Protein backbone atom coordinates (compact mmCIF):
# COMPACT_ATOMS: atom_id res chain seq x y z
CA UNK A 1 0.00 0.00 0.00
CA UNK A 2 2.90 2.36 0.77
CA UNK A 3 4.40 1.71 -2.67
CA UNK A 4 1.07 2.46 -4.32
CA UNK A 5 0.76 5.72 -2.41
CA UNK A 6 4.30 6.81 -3.38
CA UNK A 7 3.63 6.08 -7.06
CA UNK A 8 0.38 8.04 -6.83
CA UNK A 9 2.09 11.09 -5.33
CA UNK A 10 4.92 11.09 -7.87
CA UNK A 11 2.37 10.86 -10.67
CA UNK A 12 0.41 13.81 -9.35
CA UNK A 13 3.51 15.99 -8.97
CA UNK A 14 4.40 15.22 -12.57
CA UNK A 15 0.91 16.28 -13.63
CA UNK A 16 1.27 19.45 -11.55
CA UNK A 17 4.45 20.26 -13.49
CA UNK A 18 2.65 19.68 -16.77
CA UNK A 19 -0.17 21.96 -15.61
CA UNK A 20 2.38 24.64 -14.77
CA UNK A 21 3.87 24.37 -18.26
CA UNK A 22 0.42 24.77 -19.80
CA UNK A 23 -0.17 27.77 -17.57
CA UNK A 24 3.06 29.34 -18.80
CA UNK A 25 1.95 28.90 -22.39
CA UNK A 26 -1.24 30.73 -21.54
CA UNK A 27 0.95 33.58 -20.19
CA UNK A 28 -0.57 33.94 -16.76
CA UNK A 29 0.40 37.27 -15.20
CA UNK A 30 1.55 35.61 -11.98
CA UNK A 31 5.04 35.18 -10.53
CA UNK A 32 6.52 31.77 -11.30
CA UNK A 33 6.41 30.69 -7.63
CA UNK A 34 2.71 31.54 -7.38
CA UNK A 35 1.98 29.67 -10.61
CA UNK A 36 3.83 26.61 -9.29
CA UNK A 37 1.93 26.68 -5.99
CA UNK A 38 -1.41 27.11 -7.74
CA UNK A 39 -0.73 24.28 -10.17
CA UNK A 40 0.24 21.93 -7.35
CA UNK A 41 -2.75 22.88 -5.22
CA UNK A 42 -5.18 22.58 -8.14
CA UNK A 43 -3.80 19.18 -9.14
CA UNK A 44 -4.03 17.76 -5.63
CA UNK A 45 -7.48 19.24 -5.07
CA UNK A 46 -8.89 17.76 -8.27
CA UNK A 47 -7.27 14.40 -7.52
CA UNK A 48 -8.79 14.45 -4.03
CA UNK A 49 -12.24 14.89 -5.58
CA UNK A 50 -11.75 12.00 -8.01
CA UNK A 51 -10.19 9.58 -5.51
CA UNK A 52 -13.33 8.59 -3.49
CA UNK A 53 -15.11 7.38 -6.62
CA UNK A 54 -12.10 5.39 -7.81
CA UNK A 55 -11.74 3.79 -4.38
CA UNK A 56 -15.07 2.11 -5.14
CA UNK A 57 -13.43 0.05 -7.90
CA UNK A 58 -13.80 0.24 -11.68
CA UNK A 59 -17.47 0.27 -12.70
CA UNK A 60 -19.90 2.56 -14.53
CA UNK A 61 -20.87 4.50 -11.46
CA UNK A 62 -17.32 5.14 -10.21
CA UNK A 63 -16.11 5.97 -13.73
CA UNK A 64 -18.98 8.42 -14.25
CA UNK A 65 -18.16 10.24 -11.00
CA UNK A 66 -14.40 10.31 -11.59
CA UNK A 67 -14.19 11.13 -15.30
CA UNK A 68 -15.29 14.74 -14.98
CA UNK A 69 -12.53 15.41 -12.44
CA UNK A 70 -9.97 13.65 -14.63
CA UNK A 71 -11.16 15.77 -17.56
CA UNK A 72 -10.48 18.90 -15.52
CA UNK A 73 -7.14 17.52 -14.34
CA UNK A 74 -5.89 16.82 -17.87
CA UNK A 75 -7.47 19.86 -19.50
CA UNK A 76 -7.98 18.04 -22.82
CA UNK A 77 -10.99 18.20 -25.15
CA UNK A 78 -12.30 14.85 -23.92
CA UNK A 79 -11.51 12.04 -21.50
CA UNK A 80 -12.94 8.51 -21.37
CA UNK A 81 -12.64 5.53 -19.05
CA UNK A 82 -13.22 2.00 -20.34
CA UNK A 83 -13.22 -1.48 -18.92
CA UNK A 84 -11.75 -4.32 -20.97
CA UNK A 85 -15.11 -4.72 -22.70
CA UNK A 86 -17.02 -1.41 -22.72
CA UNK A 87 -16.76 2.36 -22.54
CA UNK A 88 -17.82 3.12 -18.96
CA UNK A 89 -17.93 6.94 -18.96
CA UNK A 90 -16.67 9.95 -20.87
CA UNK A 91 -16.57 13.74 -20.61
CA UNK A 92 -16.32 16.10 -23.56
CA UNK A 93 -16.60 15.43 -27.29
CA UNK A 94 -15.43 11.84 -27.20
CA UNK A 95 -14.66 10.01 -30.45
CA UNK A 96 -16.78 7.02 -31.43
CA UNK A 97 -13.56 5.05 -31.92
CA UNK A 98 -12.70 5.08 -28.20
CA UNK A 99 -13.45 1.36 -27.74
CA UNK A 100 -11.42 0.46 -30.84
CA UNK A 101 -8.53 2.51 -29.51
CA UNK A 102 -8.94 0.93 -26.09
CA UNK A 103 -8.76 -2.59 -27.52
CA UNK A 104 -5.52 -1.69 -29.29
CA UNK A 105 -3.98 -0.40 -26.03
CA UNK A 106 -5.24 -3.46 -24.15
CA UNK A 107 -3.72 -5.79 -26.72
CA UNK A 108 -0.39 -3.93 -26.67
CA UNK A 109 -0.34 -3.62 -22.87
CA UNK A 110 1.09 -0.10 -23.05
CA UNK A 111 0.17 3.45 -24.00
CA UNK A 112 -0.93 3.99 -27.59
CA UNK A 113 -1.09 7.25 -29.56
CA UNK A 114 -3.70 7.78 -32.29
CA UNK A 115 -3.22 10.87 -34.49
CA UNK A 116 -6.31 12.18 -36.21
CA UNK A 117 -8.55 15.09 -37.17
CA UNK A 118 -9.98 17.15 -35.56
CA UNK A 119 -8.33 15.54 -32.52
CA UNK A 120 -5.93 12.74 -31.72
CA UNK A 121 -5.95 10.42 -28.74
CA UNK A 122 -3.73 8.90 -26.08
CA UNK A 123 -4.97 5.63 -24.52
CA UNK A 124 -3.21 4.06 -21.54
CA UNK A 125 -4.05 0.71 -19.88
CA UNK A 126 -5.20 0.69 -16.24
CA UNK A 127 -3.81 -2.12 -14.13
CA UNK A 128 -4.56 -3.68 -10.74
CA UNK A 129 -1.90 -5.95 -9.28
CA UNK A 130 -0.37 -6.48 -12.72
CA UNK A 131 -3.69 -7.27 -14.42
CA UNK A 132 -5.07 -4.90 -17.06
CA UNK A 133 -8.63 -3.93 -16.08
CA UNK A 134 -9.41 -1.04 -18.45
CA UNK A 135 -8.03 2.10 -20.06
CA UNK A 136 -7.85 5.86 -19.65
CA UNK A 137 -8.19 7.79 -22.92
CA UNK A 138 -7.61 11.50 -23.54
CA UNK A 139 -8.36 13.36 -26.78
CA UNK A 140 -7.01 16.76 -27.79
CA UNK A 141 -6.19 18.84 -30.85
CA UNK A 142 -2.46 18.44 -30.31
CA UNK A 143 -1.04 15.13 -29.12
CA UNK A 144 2.36 16.17 -27.82
CA UNK A 145 5.01 14.14 -26.04
CA UNK A 146 4.13 16.06 -22.87
CA UNK A 147 0.49 15.05 -23.15
CA UNK A 148 1.44 11.39 -23.63
CA UNK A 149 3.59 11.45 -20.50
CA UNK A 150 0.90 13.27 -18.53
CA UNK A 151 -1.91 10.88 -19.49
CA UNK A 152 0.42 7.99 -18.66
CA UNK A 153 1.11 9.41 -15.19
CA UNK A 154 -2.58 10.09 -14.54
CA UNK A 155 -3.33 6.51 -15.60
CA UNK A 156 -0.69 5.30 -13.10
CA UNK A 157 -2.40 7.33 -10.38
CA UNK A 158 -5.83 5.96 -11.34
CA UNK A 159 -4.39 2.43 -11.29
CA UNK A 160 -3.01 3.14 -7.82
CA UNK A 161 -6.45 4.18 -6.59
CA UNK A 162 -7.99 1.05 -8.11
CA UNK A 163 -5.36 -1.09 -6.35
CA UNK A 164 -6.28 0.58 -3.06
CA UNK A 165 -9.93 -0.23 -3.83
CA UNK A 166 -8.99 -3.87 -4.31
CA UNK A 167 -7.09 -3.84 -1.01
CA UNK A 168 -10.18 -2.40 0.70
CA UNK A 169 -12.35 -5.09 -0.89
CA UNK A 170 -9.88 -7.81 0.17
CA UNK A 171 -9.93 -6.45 3.71
CA UNK A 172 -13.72 -6.53 3.78
CA UNK A 173 -13.75 -10.10 2.47
CA UNK A 174 -11.23 -11.12 5.12
CA UNK A 175 -13.32 -9.54 7.86
CA UNK A 176 -16.48 -11.24 6.58
CA UNK A 177 -14.64 -14.56 6.57
CA UNK A 178 -13.47 -13.84 10.11
CA UNK A 179 -17.03 -13.17 11.22
CA UNK A 180 -18.12 -16.50 9.74
CA UNK A 181 -15.25 -18.14 11.61
CA UNK A 182 -16.34 -16.44 14.83
CA UNK A 183 -19.82 -17.84 14.53
CA UNK A 184 -18.31 -21.27 13.92
CA UNK A 185 -16.13 -20.92 17.02
CA UNK A 186 -18.98 -20.61 19.54
CA UNK A 187 -17.84 -23.16 22.11
CA UNK A 188 -19.32 -26.59 21.35
CA UNK A 189 -18.89 -27.39 25.04
CA UNK A 190 -21.22 -24.52 25.92
CA UNK A 191 -23.84 -25.71 23.41
CA UNK A 192 -23.66 -29.27 24.74
CA UNK A 193 -23.80 -28.16 28.38
CA UNK A 194 -26.68 -25.74 27.75
CA UNK A 195 -28.80 -28.38 26.02
CA UNK A 196 -27.98 -30.93 28.72
CA UNK A 197 -29.02 -28.45 31.40
CA UNK A 198 -32.29 -27.71 29.61
CA UNK A 199 -32.97 -31.42 29.25
CA UNK A 200 -32.52 -31.89 33.01
CA UNK A 201 -35.44 -29.50 33.64
CA UNK A 202 -37.84 -30.99 31.10
CA UNK A 203 -39.49 -33.39 33.59
CA UNK A 204 -38.85 -31.66 36.90
CA UNK A 205 -39.66 -28.10 35.84
CA UNK A 206 -41.13 -27.85 32.33
CA UNK A 207 -41.77 -24.10 32.64
CA UNK A 208 -38.12 -23.48 33.52
CA UNK A 209 -37.00 -25.71 30.65
CA UNK A 210 -39.15 -23.70 28.24
CA UNK A 211 -37.70 -20.38 29.47
CA UNK A 212 -34.15 -21.67 29.13
CA UNK A 213 -34.86 -23.04 25.68
CA UNK A 214 -36.09 -19.60 24.59
CA UNK A 215 -32.97 -18.02 26.11
CA UNK A 216 -30.81 -20.49 24.19
CA UNK A 217 -32.72 -19.73 20.99
CA UNK A 218 -32.20 -15.97 21.48
CA UNK A 219 -28.49 -16.45 22.12
CA UNK A 220 -28.07 -18.71 19.09
CA UNK A 221 -30.07 -16.39 16.83
CA UNK A 222 -27.76 -13.51 17.75
CA UNK A 223 -24.48 -15.43 17.65
CA UNK A 224 -25.23 -17.21 14.36
CA UNK A 225 -27.03 -14.45 12.51
CA UNK A 226 -25.74 -12.95 9.27
CA UNK A 227 -24.07 -10.13 11.14
CA UNK A 228 -22.42 -6.93 10.06
CA UNK A 229 -19.06 -6.03 11.55
CA UNK A 230 -20.75 -3.90 14.22
CA UNK A 231 -23.71 -4.19 16.52
CA UNK A 232 -24.90 -1.99 19.38
CA UNK A 233 -23.69 -2.32 22.93
CA UNK A 234 -27.32 -2.93 23.95
CA UNK A 235 -27.56 -5.98 21.66
CA UNK A 236 -24.17 -7.27 22.78
CA UNK A 237 -25.19 -7.00 26.45
CA UNK A 238 -28.47 -8.80 25.71
CA UNK A 239 -26.42 -11.66 24.23
CA UNK A 240 -24.24 -11.69 27.37
CA UNK A 241 -27.34 -11.71 29.58
CA UNK A 242 -28.77 -14.76 27.77
CA UNK A 243 -25.44 -16.51 28.02
CA UNK A 244 -25.21 -15.84 31.75
CA UNK A 245 -28.76 -17.07 32.35
CA UNK A 246 -27.91 -20.36 30.69
CA UNK A 247 -24.67 -20.73 32.65
CA UNK A 248 -26.45 -19.84 35.89
CA UNK A 249 -28.97 -22.61 35.19
CA UNK A 250 -26.06 -25.00 34.80
CA UNK A 251 -24.07 -23.96 37.89
CA UNK A 252 -26.93 -22.80 40.12
CA UNK A 253 -25.94 -20.68 43.12
CA UNK A 254 -22.29 -21.51 42.60
CA UNK A 255 -22.18 -18.86 39.86
CA UNK A 256 -22.97 -15.29 40.87
CA UNK A 257 -22.99 -12.44 38.39
CA UNK A 258 -23.89 -8.78 38.22
CA UNK A 259 -24.15 -6.23 35.44
CA UNK A 260 -23.88 -2.49 35.94
CA UNK A 261 -24.47 -0.46 32.78
CA UNK A 262 -24.70 3.28 32.15
CA UNK A 263 -27.78 3.74 29.92
CA UNK A 264 -26.06 6.50 27.93
CA UNK A 265 -23.74 4.01 26.24
CA UNK A 266 -26.33 1.45 25.10
CA UNK A 267 -26.50 2.81 21.50
CA UNK A 268 -22.69 2.81 21.11
CA UNK A 269 -21.55 0.66 18.14
CA UNK A 270 -19.24 -2.19 19.12
CA UNK A 271 -17.61 -5.06 17.21
CA UNK A 272 -19.88 -8.09 16.96
CA UNK A 273 -19.22 -10.72 19.67
CA UNK A 274 -16.64 -8.69 21.58
CA UNK A 275 -18.08 -9.16 25.11
CA UNK A 276 -19.45 -12.70 25.30
CA UNK A 277 -15.98 -14.28 24.87
CA UNK A 278 -14.69 -12.19 27.80
CA UNK A 279 -17.55 -13.37 30.01
CA UNK A 280 -17.05 -16.98 28.90
CA UNK A 281 -13.37 -16.71 29.73
CA UNK A 282 -14.19 -15.23 33.17
CA UNK A 283 -16.50 -18.14 33.98
CA UNK A 284 -14.11 -20.76 32.59
CA UNK A 285 -11.07 -19.52 34.52
CA UNK A 286 -12.79 -17.71 37.39
CA UNK A 287 -14.52 -20.78 38.79
CA UNK A 288 -11.39 -22.88 38.57
CA UNK A 289 -9.61 -23.29 41.89
CA UNK A 290 -12.49 -21.87 43.94
CA UNK A 291 -14.29 -25.12 44.60
CA UNK A 292 -16.34 -24.68 41.41
CA UNK A 293 -17.91 -21.41 42.49
CA UNK A 294 -17.27 -17.76 41.70
CA UNK A 295 -18.59 -14.33 40.79
CA UNK A 296 -18.47 -12.48 37.48
CA UNK A 297 -19.04 -8.73 37.31
CA UNK A 298 -19.65 -6.73 34.12
CA UNK A 299 -19.41 -2.94 34.42
CA UNK A 300 -19.98 -0.53 31.52
CA UNK A 301 -19.26 3.15 32.20
CA UNK A 302 -19.72 6.33 30.20
CA UNK A 303 -16.28 7.92 29.79
CA UNK A 304 -16.96 10.92 27.58
CA UNK A 305 -15.88 10.04 24.03
CA UNK A 306 -15.54 6.36 24.98
CA UNK A 307 -17.38 3.53 26.69
CA UNK A 308 -15.25 1.70 29.26
CA UNK A 309 -16.06 -1.96 29.87
CA UNK A 310 -14.65 -4.29 32.51
CA UNK A 311 -15.29 -8.00 32.94
CA UNK A 312 -14.00 -9.24 36.28
CA UNK A 313 -13.97 -12.53 38.16
CA UNK A 314 -12.88 -13.43 41.68
CA UNK A 315 -11.20 -16.67 40.67
CA UNK A 316 -7.70 -17.96 41.19
CA UNK A 317 -6.17 -15.54 38.72
CA UNK A 318 -2.96 -16.32 36.83
CA UNK A 319 0.60 -15.23 36.38
CA UNK A 320 0.69 -11.96 34.35
CA UNK A 321 3.13 -13.57 31.92
CA UNK A 322 0.53 -16.27 31.23
CA UNK A 323 -2.04 -13.57 30.49
CA UNK A 324 0.37 -11.93 28.06
CA UNK A 325 0.89 -15.22 26.23
CA UNK A 326 -2.88 -15.67 25.94
CA UNK A 327 -3.14 -12.34 24.11
CA UNK A 328 -0.17 -13.22 21.88
CA UNK A 329 -1.61 -16.57 20.77
CA UNK A 330 -2.69 -17.14 17.20
CA UNK A 331 -6.50 -16.63 17.34
CA UNK A 332 -7.04 -19.36 14.76
CA UNK A 333 -5.49 -21.95 17.08
CA UNK A 334 -7.85 -21.37 19.99
CA UNK A 335 -10.05 -24.39 19.50
CA UNK A 336 -12.32 -24.07 22.54
CA UNK A 337 -14.00 -20.79 21.62
CA UNK A 338 -13.46 -17.29 20.32
CA UNK A 339 -10.90 -16.43 22.98
CA UNK A 340 -9.23 -13.29 24.28
CA UNK A 341 -6.63 -13.16 21.50
CA UNK A 342 -9.32 -12.94 18.84
CA UNK A 343 -11.12 -10.07 20.56
CA UNK A 344 -7.83 -8.28 21.21
CA UNK A 345 -6.78 -8.61 17.57
CA UNK A 346 -10.08 -7.29 16.24
CA UNK A 347 -10.09 -4.29 18.58
CA UNK A 348 -6.57 -3.34 17.47
CA UNK A 349 -7.44 -3.77 13.80
CA UNK A 350 -10.54 -1.60 14.06
CA UNK A 351 -9.49 1.16 16.45
CA UNK A 352 -5.69 1.00 16.62
CA UNK A 353 -3.12 -0.56 18.95
CA UNK A 354 -4.17 1.69 21.82
CA UNK A 355 -7.51 -0.12 22.03
CA UNK A 356 -6.34 -3.66 22.70
CA UNK A 357 -7.47 -5.59 25.75
CA UNK A 358 -5.87 -4.81 29.11
CA UNK A 359 -5.68 -7.80 31.47
CA UNK A 360 -5.07 -7.22 35.18
CA UNK A 361 -4.39 -10.42 37.09
CA UNK A 362 -2.18 -12.12 39.66
CA UNK A 363 -2.13 -15.51 41.32
CA UNK A 364 -4.93 -15.65 43.89
CA UNK A 365 -6.28 -12.19 42.92
CA UNK A 366 -8.82 -12.92 40.20
CA UNK A 367 -8.75 -11.43 36.70
CA UNK A 368 -10.05 -8.17 35.30
CA UNK A 369 -10.23 -7.51 31.55
CA UNK A 370 -10.62 -3.90 30.40
CA UNK A 371 -12.05 -2.85 27.06
CA UNK A 372 -12.32 0.68 25.61
CA UNK A 373 -14.68 1.47 22.73
CA UNK A 374 -14.86 4.88 21.02
CA UNK A 375 -18.42 6.14 20.70
CA UNK A 376 -17.77 7.05 17.10
CA UNK A 377 -17.33 4.05 14.83
CA UNK A 378 -14.02 4.42 12.98
CA UNK A 379 -14.30 1.58 10.42
CA UNK A 380 -15.60 -1.90 9.71
CA UNK A 381 -13.76 -5.44 10.10
Amino acid sequence: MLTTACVALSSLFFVAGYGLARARRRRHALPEGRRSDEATFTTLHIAAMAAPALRGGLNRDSARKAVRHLHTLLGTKAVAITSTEAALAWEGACTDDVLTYARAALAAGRAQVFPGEPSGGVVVPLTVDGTVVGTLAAFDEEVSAGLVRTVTEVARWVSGQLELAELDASRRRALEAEMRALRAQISPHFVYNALTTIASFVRTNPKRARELLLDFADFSRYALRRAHDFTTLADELTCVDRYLLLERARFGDKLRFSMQVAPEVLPVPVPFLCLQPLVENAIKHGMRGRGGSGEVRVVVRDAGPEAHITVEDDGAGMDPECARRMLDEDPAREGSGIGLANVDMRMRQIYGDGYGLVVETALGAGTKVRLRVPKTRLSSL
Side-chain angles (χ1 to χ4, degrees):
M1 184 178 295
L2 182 60
T3 302
T4 301
C6 291
V7 169
L9 284 174
S10 64
S11 299
L12 290 179
F13 283 124
F14 180 92
V15 175
Y18 180 77
L20 176 59
R22 288 173 70 96
R24 284 174 180 154
R25 289 200 297 271
R26 295 188 189 111
R27 298 179 180 178
H28 280 295
L30 288 173
E32 184 173 344
R34 290 255 334 253
R35 288 201 303 269
S36 177
D37 290 344
E38 284 202 1
T40 301
F41 171 79
T42 300
T43 298
L44 294 175
H45 178 65
I46 296 171
M49 291 190 292
L54 295 171
R55 290 291 292 272
L58 187 61
N59 52 61
R60 289 189 183 276
D61 184 56
S62 65
R64 178 180 56 81
K65 292 177 180 177
V67 73
R68 59 191 181 94
H69 300 302
L70 299 179
H71 185 219
T72 303
L73 184 65
L74 288 167
T76 54
K77 288 181 62 177
V79 171
I81 299 175
T82 79
S83 67
T84 55
E85 299 176 348
L88 300 178
W90 54 90
E91 182 86 1
C94 186
T95 173
D96 293 336
D97 293 326
V98 61
L99 200 54
T100 301
Y101 294 164
R103 290 192 179 108
L106 291 169
R110 60 181 182 273
Q112 298 291 297
V113 178
F114 301 93
E117 294 291 341
S119 61
V122 180
V123 184
V124 184
L126 300 174
T127 61
V128 173
D129 197 22
T131 301
V132 177
V133 296
T135 67
L136 173 68
F139 301 91
D140 209 4
E141 296 172 355
E142 178 186 356
V143 180
S144 64
L147 178 62
V148 174
R149 289 196 298 270
T150 301
V151 176
T152 300
E153 292 301 326
V154 172
R156 289 180 67 194
W157 176 78
V158 172
S159 294
Q161 297 303 305
L162 295 177
E163 286 198 359
L164 291 174
E166 179 59 29
L167 287 173
D168 288 342
S170 297
R171 181 170 178 250
R172 287 194 298 272
R173 289 193 293 268
L175 288 174
E176 289 170 0
E178 184 177 325
M179 294 312 303
R180 290 193 293 271
L182 285 177
R183 291 193 289 272
Q185 286 179 23
I186 296 298
S187 173
H189 298 294
F190 163 72
V191 174
Y192 173 80
N193 291 330
L195 292 176
T196 301
T197 300
I198 294 170
S200 70
F201 284 101
V202 168
R203 289 189 177 181
T204 59
N205 193 341
K207 182 179 178 181
R208 177 68 168 150
R210 181 179 181 277
E211 291 172 350
L212 290 173
L213 193 58
L214 291 175
D215 289 335
F216 181 77
D218 287 342
F219 173 82
S220 301
R221 185 181 300 112
Y222 178 83
L224 303 177
R225 70 180 183 176
R226 186 178 178 82
H228 296 291
D229 301 335
F230 284 76
T231 185
T232 65
L233 189 52
D235 284 347
E236 193 75 3
L237 287 168
T238 298
C239 172
V240 169
D241 182 65
R242 296 294 182 270
Y243 175 82
L244 285 169
L245 288 173
L246 291 163
E247 290 291 73
R248 179 68 183 274
R250 174 188 171 195
F251 291 107
D253 292 338
K254 291 182 178 181
L255 173 61
R256 305 178 304 280
F257 67 86
S258 63
M259 295 180 66
Q260 182 182 342
V261 182
E264 297 84 2
V265 299
L266 290 176
V268 172
V270 296
F272 180 67
L273 283 179
C274 68
L275 295 187
Q276 185 273 338
L278 307 186
V279 175
E280 181 174 348
N281 183 79
I283 294 175
K284 177 181 177 181
H285 297 286
M287 298 184 69
R288 185 182 300 165
R290 287 276 184 173
S293 65
E295 180 178 1
V296 174
R297 294 179 294 276
V298 178
V299 179
V300 185
R301 296 188 297 108
D302 185 1
E306 298 177 339
H308 288 184
I309 305 167
T310 61
V311 179
E312 184 177 7
D313 66 69
D314 63 350
M318 66 184 80
D319 185 281
E321 181 62 23
C322 179
R324 187 192 64 79
R325 288 197 300 270
M326 287 176 62
L327 293 180
D328 289 341
E329 287 178 357
D330 180 0
R333 298 181 64 180
E334 295 184 27
S336 60
I338 293 174
L340 295 184
N342 202 309
V343 177
D344 180 68
M345 180 190 68
R346 286 191 293 144
M347 293 298 295
R348 293 178 187 276
Q349 286 179 339
I350 294 169
Y351 301 113
D353 285 338
Y355 286 90
L357 298 183
V358 176
V359 180
E360 300 176 6
T361 187
L363 291 174
T367 302
K368 178 186 291 186
V369 179
R370 298 183 182 273
L371 184 69
R372 296 162 49 224
V373 180
K375 289 183 179 178
T376 301
R377 169 177 166 177
L378 299 182
S379 71
S380 64
L381 276 181

